[in-house]
Amino acid sequence: MPKIYLSFVWHMHQPFYKDLVSNEYKLPWTRLHALKDYYGMVKVLEDFPQVHQTFNLVPSMLVQLDEYARGVAVDPFLRCANKDSASLTDGEREFILRYFFQANVQRMIYRYPRYGELYEAFLAVNENTSRALNTFNDTAFRDLQVLSQLAWFDEEFLTHDSDVKALVSKGRGYSSADQSLLAAKQLEKLGLVLDVYRDFSKRGQIEVSATPFYHPILPLICDSQIAEISHPYVALPPRFRYPQDARVQLERSRDYMQQQFGQAPKGLWPSEGSVSDEALCLAHETGFRWFATDNGVLARTIDHAGTPDVTYRPYLWKQGKYEMHGLFRDHTLSDLIGFVYSRMGAKEAADHFLAAIRANCAPILRAGRDALVPIILDGENAWEYFDLSGRPFLRELYRQIEEDPKMEALTVSEAIAKVPAEPIGHIFPASWISTNFDIWIGAEEDNKAWEYLLRARETYDKVKDHVSEEARCLAFEELLIAEGSDWNWWYGPEHSSANRTDFDRLYREHLANVYRALGLLPPEELSRPILKVDIQVTHQSPRGPLRPDIDGQISSYFEWMGSGSYSIDQRQGAMHGQRFLIQELHYGSDGAWLFIRIDFVKGMEESLRGAELRFQFQGTEVTVPLVPLYETPPHDPLLLRAAYDQIFELRISQRAVAKAHPIRFQVSVWKDGLPLDALPQQGSIELLSHELNEWLG
């Protein structure tokens, strides 16, 4: 009798948050999702032994998870959570207020009454961290520190660990001992995650598949011009073509998974379901035997609507000596789990899901054919929106599947061994989103990110044979990280996040690290955000000529009177990792000299020690160290003089740097080869020629 085979593939993925130079994790999401979802999503299957599933694990995520489990990951969020509240600095308190409410309000914050109270208290001061410092005492901060971490603990831990249950029951008034206990429990639970995958994999109840190591969009790494096929005439950056990098990402993925699980994966979920013939050839050559993507890709491949009769079967892609089995996810049903069922009761959602499958499969079964239903989706982010992290829904769903004799849940490898495959001779190049690559390339921000990546990759090729093996390996590792899809997910108009600025900064830091590893100064462009950040700017044009003394002192209020000024509202853009160093900039001219004054943020003296300023004029870059006095030799056309003490002051020959009018410039702060701040964040400050003419008559 024909049967319905369900093939669930849960994709577990977080970006690579670690900076390889500082060894610091810039964002906490790998740790938090490991506490909340990675363990429990597998462990719940223990009660349903007949339900087999596939879990797709991203190797670069597992690297981070392993470091957390061994207690060697450095994470400023975790440091703030574990520090005694009485010894928190004001900066750390503001950090906690800004970031520790980043959780689903209804399902995670209000689940814990005290957490909800603290959240409402923060709302009462309009989420103003400075005002909140006056209302949150040490006890409130400690409760927030504990509950913001406890809210991410998996249902398995909340239910079966007596220490964790006791912390939940306590509810408020937590002590330093409670903080220490919770910190120890985090480490303990993180250490369980990889073992549960190994255990269920050995049992044969789950199959582990993988993506390329750092989650790149393989077709675009092979050849970025391929985006034109799915989106004709799309605006593209200069061509990026490095199939050798794509091969490395695939090979390293299999090698790492072999090391962790004792066997290399057969299956590949190519990052974001992105496929092309060239990418599949590489996947076959490196040992993968099946892939999965979206049924929208299938529809454009076979020029047929992605209906159940064509979606519910495996396919065999074959070109010459290369071949791979392929599954094409039911887009509609997968998205119901991801985006709809969180608003329904557990039984109501499970009933609806299985009824839809039975209705879709009925004509296929009547025709005497088995139906293979691919359900493929994100295995972590959806559960924040479900009651009790979606466990009641999953339990009801799995119970009904086990009880239905006409239905069976299989791993992908088990399913393609049972159901005959339909041959296809090519694959349409696209991702699972809108059957194109528009999320990652084509928009202005996306294209700029690709341009920066290409320049770094070309620089690596030119320099790699002239540096040590250690430097070459570090530079190449940073390039592979920068090739990941996650950075461009946030560029362009499609997505937004409270951490969007953090992703932008981290991407540029990875590229800057490429240059640093090669012994080169990173280009000035990496000092400025790629994002079109909405930051409030106060800009006053100059009102008269200047002639200040360049001594680094605030000699007189009148010395810079009439200057132009430029400052930003730092509260708008000061996300984690984005420390503002420049408080305000003043500028002006007397017709012969351009004068610039920089007031730095108070308390940043140590951060500025050993730093330098880079001034970008029209086609001219001038680097000035932050030292008490700096002057160029008399024969130097810049005739530059700079002084740094209470403030920074600079005088430079206008003729040497201004080849034309208006005069444009931008300043950035660099230290140890990394950009720390820039003003303006985007674009340049202009000194218009008509302003000079008006002053000078």
Side-chain angles (χ1 to χ4, degrees):
M1 292 290 291
K3 199 168 186 178
I4 298 173
Y5 296 109
L6 301 178
S7 196
F8 289 90
V9 180
W10 302 107
H11 177 50
M12 302 302 200
H13 165 56
Q14 284 294 317
F16 194 75
Y17 295 117
K18 184 180 180 181
D19 183 317
L20 296 184
V21 173
S22 68
N23 285 322
E24 182 172 84
Y25 282 79
K26 300 297 186 178
L27 289 169
W29 306 120
T30 299
R31 170 175 58 85
L32 295 178
H33 279 287
L35 286 172
K36 186 177 182 299
D37 302 307
Y38 299 157
Y39 177 86
M41 283 290 292
V42 180
K43 189 67 173 176
V44 70
L45 295 174
E46 195 161 56
D47 295 333
F48 307 95
Q50 302 308 311
V51 174
H52 290 198
Q53 297 186 339
T54 301
F55 287 84
N56 189 80
L57 305 179
V58 178
S60 56
M61 178 199 77
L62 298 182
V63 170
Q64 299 174 81
L65 179 55
D66 176 65
E67 290 199 349
Y68 274 114
R70 290 188 287 114
V72 298
V74 180
D75 173 350
F77 293 78
L78 187 57
R79 279 201 303 267
C80 282
N82 292 341
K83 188 173 181 178
D84 184 80
S85 62
S87 60
L88 290 169
T89 66
D90 282 351
E92 289 169 332
R93 290 170 186 261
E94 289 200 35
F95 182 90
I96 288 170
L97 290 166
R98 186 178 298 117
Y99 288 105
F100 281 29
F101 292 111
Q102 286 189 358
N104 184 278
V105 174
Q106 295 302 323
R107 300 298 191 187
M108 297 174 68
I109 292 181
Y110 282 131
R111 180 177 181 177
Y112 301 89
R114 174 60 167 160
Y115 198 6
E117 288 176 15
L118 295 169
Y119 176 67
E120 290 177 357
F122 191 46
L123 292 180
V125 294
N126 297 318
E127 301 179 77
N128 184 303
T129 55
S130 298
R131 291 176 60 192
L133 290 179
N134 298 321
T135 59
F136 278 64
N137 59 21
D138 289 349
T139 300
F141 271 105
R142 187 177 291 114
D143 285 355
L144 178 55
Q145 289 169 292
V146 170
L147 290 167
S148 62
Q149 308 305 298
L150 202 54
W152 288 89
F153 270 59
D154 194 279
E155 299 302 317
E156 292 284 335
F157 307 145
L158 295 171
T159 304
H160 299 116
D161 188 300
S162 58
D163 290 328
V164 175
K165 288 173 68 175
L167 287 172
V168 173
S169 298
K170 187 170 185 177
R172 64 181 63 233
Y174 292 102
S175 65
S176 296
D178 294 328
Q179 277 184 283
S180 298
L181 174 61
L182 188 61
K185 284 296 174 181
Q186 281 207 43
L187 199 62
E188 173 190 316
K189 303 310 182 188
L190 292 169
L192 299 175
V193 177
L194 275 177
D195 284 341
V196 80
Y197 286 93
R198 294 186 184 109
D199 181 26
F200 277 72
S201 179
K202 287 177 182 176
R203 298 184 198 180
Q205 193 173 353
I206 71 168
E207 176 179 6
V208 174
S209 60
T211 64
F213 198 90
Y214 285 110
H215 207 266
I217 304 295
L218 278 184
L220 297 180
I221 299 299
C222 289
D223 187 353
S224 60
Q225 294 297 121
I226 204 166
E228 287 185 318
I229 295 177
S230 56
H231 185 169
Y233 310 113
V234 64
L236 293 177
R239 189 176 196 175
F240 189 95
R241 178 158 175 72
Y242 286 91
Q244 63 269 41
D245 290 7
R247 181 186 295 276
V248 170
Q249 298 263 17
L250 288 162
E251 289 173 342
R252 288 186 52 182
S253 173
R254 282 178 58 80
D255 290 346
Y256 184 82
M257 300 301 278
Q258 170 80 49
Q259 172 191 334
Q260 292 295 323
F261 294 96
Q263 60 181 3
K266 297 178 183 177
L268 175 75
W269 169 254
S271 316
E272 309 295 354
S274 298
V275 290
S276 67
D277 287 325
E278 184 174 14
L280 292 185
C281 287
L282 288 172
H284 171 92
E285 283 187 336
T286 51
F288 290 97
R289 291 298 172 257
W290 64 258
F291 71 93
T293 182
D294 191 74
N295 64 347
V297 176
L298 174 64
R300 298 197 71 173
T301 296
I302 65 175
D303 194 24
H304 190 291
T307 51
D309 62 311
V310 297
T311 298
Y312 291 178
R313 63 172 63 185
Y315 286 79
L316 183 63
W317 168 89
K318 190 169 185 178
Q319 287 195 345
K321 64 178 181 178
Y322 305 107
E323 65 176 42
M324 291 183 72
H325 278 88
L327 259 63
F328 297 86
R329 70 191 280 266
D330 185 313
H331 190 107
T332 301
L333 290 180
S334 301
D335 282 358
L336 284 174
I337 296 177
F339 305 111
V340 177
Y341 289 152
S342 60
R343 300 188 294 270
M344 300 169 63
K347 187 175 188 308
E348 180 188 14
D351 289 348
H352 181 275
F353 183 75
L354 294 177
I357 287 175
R358 293 185 183 103
N360 289 344
C361 292
I364 300 171
L365 301 181
R366 284 197 297 268
R369 178 166 70 86
D370 290 329
L372 171 55
V373 185
I375 307 298
I376 307 173
L377 69 152
D378 188 307
E380 54 195 270
N381 290 311
W383 309 121
E384 296 173 40
Y385 300 89
F386 278 76
D387 180 42
L388 302 179
S389 295
R391 298 304 185 268
F393 163 70
L394 291 175
R395 288 183 173 279
E396 179 64 23
L397 178 63
Y398 298 161
R399 181 189 66 77
Q400 291 194 33
I401 291 171
E402 278 199 332
E403 292 177 356
D404 188 338
K406 297 180 181 179
M407 192 174 285
E408 189 174 355
L410 302 176
T411 69
V412 173
S413 290
E414 290 171 338
I416 60 180
K418 282 183 174 286
V419 182
E422 184 79 13
I424 51 175
H426 79 288
I427 196 79
F428 185 83
S431 76
W432 73 272
I433 301 178
S434 303
T435 58
N436 58 40
F437 301 105
D438 286 0
I439 294 292
W440 300 275
I441 200 166
E444 180 184 352
E445 292 174 357
D446 293 324
N447 290 350
K448 184 175 288 188
W450 281 97
E451 287 178 26
Y452 291 177
L453 175 63
L454 177 61
R455 281 199 276 276
R457 187 63 178 79
E458 290 174 338
T459 300
Y460 170 82
D461 284 339
K462 292 175 185 175
V463 179
K464 62 183 173 68
D465 294 331
H466 306 290
V467 299
S468 68
E469 177 68 16
E470 181 182 3
R472 180 164 57 252
C473 289
L474 177 58
F476 189 61
E477 198 73 19
E478 292 282 15
L479 281 169
L480 294 178
I481 294 169
E483 288 175 352
S485 73
D486 301 287
W487 321 114
N488 286 63
W489 179 269
W490 300 110
Y491 292 136
E494 296 91 356
H495 301 115
S496 63
S497 163
N499 301 121
R500 201 165 174 241
T501 306
D502 298 277
F503 282 104
D504 175 38
R505 182 174 180 82
L506 188 51
Y507 175 70
R508 290 181 290 113
E509 285 181 353
H510 284 307
L511 290 181
N513 286 341
V514 175
Y515 293 91
R516 294 180 69 208
L518 297 172
L520 302 173
L521 283 176
E524 181 275 338
E525 62 196 16
L526 296 178
S527 70
R528 287 181 279 179
I530 295 172
L531 288 173
K532 301 289 187 182
V533 185
D534 182 19
I535 298 176
Q536 293 184 14
V537 172
T538 302
H539 185 195
Q540 172 68 55
S541 296
R543 299 175 301 284
L546 297 178
R547 198 63 187 259
D549 291 329
I550 305 303
D551 56 9
Q553 303 293 325
I554 304 176
S555 306
S556 165
Y557 168 80
F558 299 97
E559 190 177 30
W560 285 87
M561 180 177 285
S563 67
S565 63
Y566 196 103
S567 63
I568 61 175
D569 180 355
Q570 298 179 12
R571 294 170 298 174
Q572 298 294 317
M575 303 297 284
H576 171 62
Q578 173 68 55
R579 290 188 306 167
F580 286 90
L581 298 176
I582 301 175
Q583 182 72 44
E584 190 170 30
L585 182 147
H586 297 264
Y587 67 99
S589 171
D590 67 352
W593 302 99
L594 178 65
F595 300 96
I596 298 175
R597 163 183 162 176
I598 296 173
D599 294 7
F600 292 105
V601 175
K602 285 183 172 56
M604 289 297 179
E605 291 77 15
E606 189 60 36
S607 297
L608 291 166
R609 193 182 306 278
E612 63 185 22
L613 297 177
R614 296 188 190 178
F615 295 87
Q616 191 74 28
F617 299 94
Q618 295 109 308
T620 302
E621 183 176 287
V622 179
T623 299
V624 182
L626 278 178
V627 294
L629 183 64
Y630 177 78
E631 292 182 287
T632 57
H635 62 271
D636 191 310
L638 293 175
L639 296 174
L640 182 150
R641 178 183 173 91
Y644 172 53
D645 190 359
Q646 294 174 301
I647 57 175
F648 173 89
E649 293 177 301
L650 174 141
R651 182 194 70 198
I652 192 168
S653 168
Q654 192 165 294
R655 179 180 298 177
V657 297
K659 310 301 183 187
H661 290 295
I663 301 169
R664 294 189 180 94
F665 69 95
Q666 187 243 18
V667 60
S668 52
V669 185
W670 291 70
K671 183 177 179 180
D672 297 330
L674 281 176
L676 302 180
D677 198 4
L679 205 70
Q681 293 285 309
Q682 299 170 40
S684 303
I685 296 173
E686 293 188 357
L687 180 60
L688 302 176
S689 56
H690 71 81
E691 293 172 337
L692 286 173
N693 293 335
E694 289 174 3
W695 306 335
L696 304 174

